[in-house]
Amino acid sequence: MFRTGSLVADLETELHSLQRSIAAYLGLAVGDALGATVEFMTPAEIRHEYGVHKNMIGGGWLKLKAGEITDDTEMSLALGNAILSAGKVDPASVAEAFSQWMRSKPKDIGNTVRRGIVQYRRTGQTVMPESEHDAGNGACMRCLPVALVTLNQPWENVQTASRLQAYVTHNNPVSDAGTECIIHMVQAAILGEPLAELELLARELVMRYPVFEYRQRRRDNPSGYIVDTLQAVFQSLFSTDNFEAALVDVVNRGGDADTTGAILGMVAGALYGLEGIPPRWLEQLAPDIRAQCTQQASALYQLAQQGHTP
C-alpha cells in the first residue's frame, strides 16, 4: 500500500538535510570573511581597534573588500569542483584543482599547502610523506566538500575520502584526527543531531588524542596548528547557543581567525541552519561566492544521494 505520510516525512527530512548542507557552506564562507579582518591580531588589539568585531567590513592584513573570502573558502570550492568533475574524491583531480588554484595567484596560501602543490607539480605524486611538522589546519579548513559528498556513507569511506584530499598537502595523524572529527560533527549536525551530541564527538577526539583537551584553559590567539585551532572552535561552539554568538566569540580570539571562523562556521551552519545565520552577513558576502557555495553544496549533496563510494 502506498504510504503518503511516510513519503512526505522522507521528503521533509531530505529537504532539511539539503538546507543544512547549504547553510554549512555559507557558514564556512561567512566565517572566513568575518575572521579575515582580524587574522593575526591579538584579542587586545581587536578590542582596541573594533571593540567587538562583528561586522563584515573587509580590510585586515590582506586588505580585502567587505564580504571577500580567503584561501579557506577558495580551496573548499576547488576541492568541491574536483569531486564533482571526477564523480568521487580522486586525488589526482584534487591535486590538479589545487595547482590551478595556486596559478590564480591567491592572496593567501599556507606554506604546507604550497609545498604539497609544488611536490605534485614536480613529481605527480598526490601523497606528501608523513611529517610531524604538518599538523596544520589546512586540510581541515577545506574538508566540507568531503563531509557533504560522503553523507550517510560508512565511516571507513568517509575516512578514506578525507585522507585522499588531505594528503595532497597534509599527512599527519593529529591533523587527520582533527579533520575527521570536524567532518563527523558537520555530518551529524546536517542529520539533525543537537549540540550536545557534537560535544560528545569532541570528547571522543580528546580521549583518543588528549592534546586536543579544550576545557582546561581559554585558547586565545590560536595558531595554524590544528590543536590550537580546534580548541578555540570547540570552546566557542560549546559555550554559546546560536550561530552569531559562536562566530563572534571565535573570531575575536584573533590569531588564525579566518580559519577558526571558517571551521566554526561550517559546523554551526549545519547545526543552526540557514535561519540561524544573520541575514546581514549573508547579504554582505560577495554575491558570486554566495552563489557558488549554494550551488556546490546542492550538487555535492545530490551526488551523495547516488551512493557512490569516493
Side-chain angles (χ1 to χ4, degrees):
M1 185 171 106
F2 186 67
R3 303 179 67 177
T4 304
S6 177
L7 178 59
V8 170
D10 289 345
L11 289 173
E12 288 179 348
T13 298
E14 185 171 338
L15 179 60
H16 177 272
S17 296
L18 173 59
Q19 289 177 334
R20 286 184 179 258
S21 298
I22 294 170
Y25 226 132
L26 291 171
L28 159 69
V30 163
D32 181 9
L34 186 71
T37 302
V38 293
E39 185 181 16
F40 300 139
M41 296 177 70
T42 66
E45 289 169 341
I46 295 169
R47 286 193 297 271
H48 177 76
E49 185 74 20
Y50 302 107
V52 176
H53 174 57
K54 59 183 179 180
N55 294 312
M56 204 176 289
I57 57 175
W61 76 278
L62 291 172
K63 298 180 171 53
L64 300 175
K65 299 175 183 175
E68 191 175 358
I69 47 83
T70 75
D71 55 331
D72 301 68
T73 308
E74 290 173 347
M75 291 200 78
S76 298
L77 290 168
L79 172 59
N81 285 333
I83 293 170
L84 292 170
S85 296
K88 60 180 181 178
V89 183
D90 173 64
S93 299
V94 171
E96 186 58 32
F98 291 165
S99 180
Q100 292 298 325
W101 168 74
M102 193 164 82
R103 283 197 177 92
S104 73
K105 300 190 184 305
K107 290 189 173 184
D108 187 25
I109 181 169
N111 291 330
T112 305
V113 168
R114 184 188 299 276
R115 188 165 65 248
I117 294 171
V118 168
Q119 174 189 265
Y120 164 71
R121 288 178 176 177
R122 188 177 67 250
T123 67
Q125 295 178 11
T126 59
V127 177
M128 286 291 285
E130 183 175 330
S131 172
E132 63 179 305
H133 303 296
D134 288 349
N137 56 25
C140 188
M141 74 182 190
R142 63 181 191 241
C143 72
L144 180 57
V146 171
L148 299 183
V149 81
T150 61
L151 193 66
N152 287 319
Q153 292 208 8
W155 183 245
E156 315 87 75
N157 292 359
V158 179
Q159 279 189 315
T160 297
S162 178
R163 295 178 191 191
L164 285 175
Q165 78 85 12
Y167 288 177
V168 175
T169 57
H170 293 68
N171 187 346
N172 178 280
V174 176
S175 173
D176 290 345
T179 299
E180 289 155 19
C181 178
I182 291 298
I183 289 173
H184 203 165
M185 291 171 70
V186 168
Q187 291 183 334
I190 287 172
L191 297 175
E193 295 291 349
L195 183 62
E197 290 299 317
L198 304 193
E199 183 153 23
L200 288 178
L201 295 175
R203 296 306 306 159
E204 289 174 9
L205 173 65
V206 171
M207 287 180 63
R208 291 187 294 114
Y209 289 87
V211 68
F212 282 101
E213 178 56 62
Y214 58 92
R215 297 183 298 179
Q216 293 179 349
R217 68 184 182 91
R218 180 179 172 88
R219 174 58 68 187
D220 279 336
N221 202 28
S223 73
Y225 177 37
I226 187 68
V227 171
D228 287 0
T229 297
L230 294 193
Q231 285 174 337
V233 168
F234 292 159
Q235 288 173 3
S236 297
L237 183 66
F238 302 136
S239 65
T240 56
D241 62 2
N242 63 81
F243 184 98
E244 180 170 7
L247 186 57
V248 168
D249 185 88
V250 84
V251 300
N252 279 274
R253 294 167 185 254
D256 200 2
D258 61 331
T259 299
T260 57
I263 294 172
L264 185 142
M266 71 173 87
V267 178
L271 178 65
Y272 296 115
L274 285 170
E275 65 278 7
I277 303 177
R280 74 179 190 278
W281 286 344
L282 290 174
E283 291 164 4
Q284 290 167 325
L285 195 63
D288 62 320
I289 296 301
R290 191 167 63 238
Q292 287 183 59
C293 291
T294 301
Q295 292 163 4
Q296 192 176 103
S298 299
L300 289 166
Y301 179 84
Q302 294 303 324
L303 184 59
Q305 303 316 299
Q306 297 173 23
H308 294 304
T309 302

